Amino acid sequence: MFEVIKKLKMKNFIYLFIAIISLTSCSNNDDDDSTSPSIDTVIGEWEQVSFSVDGVVTPANCDENDVFEFFEDGTYTLDAFDEITTGGDCFVTNYQGIWSNTEGVYYLSITPEGPLTAEGTFSSNNTVVNFTVELGGSVVVITCNRI
């Protein structure tokens, strides 16, 4: 009888050992799927909070700030606000374009102005982006906050 109990305990131990090995050898690869593309940091809505030319900040001429929205499909929209008259109401112009990112350099194409190259520098845990653009010999920096 002692032999039978010993064999049962050994069998149970072997089954338990196999079960533990089976459970611990499995891994969940949902978080580390190297075949799925990563989402670019710029994806989402961004509100312009500052605009400077050659280091001189240009005050906004409207109560509303320009809003960029970048989409995963490589398109973006820009709602640009301008004054109708000095100190008067503002109107919005909607632009659409395409964008791409090559090693942190963003290429924006907006109709009808054409292509524009902007270097994006992210800060504050990717909630602030500075787009630096060279236009006509001047350096323009557009600072946006994620909304």
Side-chain angles (χ1 to χ4, degrees), residues 1-10:
M1 172 111 163
F2 183 69
E3 276 303 307
V4 173
I5 293 174
K6 191 175 178 183
K7 283 183 182 181
L8 284 174
K9 282 185 180 180
M10 184 58 82

Side-chain angles (χ1 to χ4, degrees), residues 49-82:
V49 294
S50 174
F51 181 87
S52 67
V53 179
D54 293 329
V56 178
V57 176
T58 303
N61 57 359
C62 283
D63 291 336
E64 297 289 329
N65 292 326
D66 295 352
V67 176
F68 293 86
E69 186 169 6
F70 292 88
F71 301 96
E72 288 184 55
D73 66 358
T75 62
Y76 75 96
T77 59
L78 166 60
D79 295 335
F81 292 89
D82 289 305

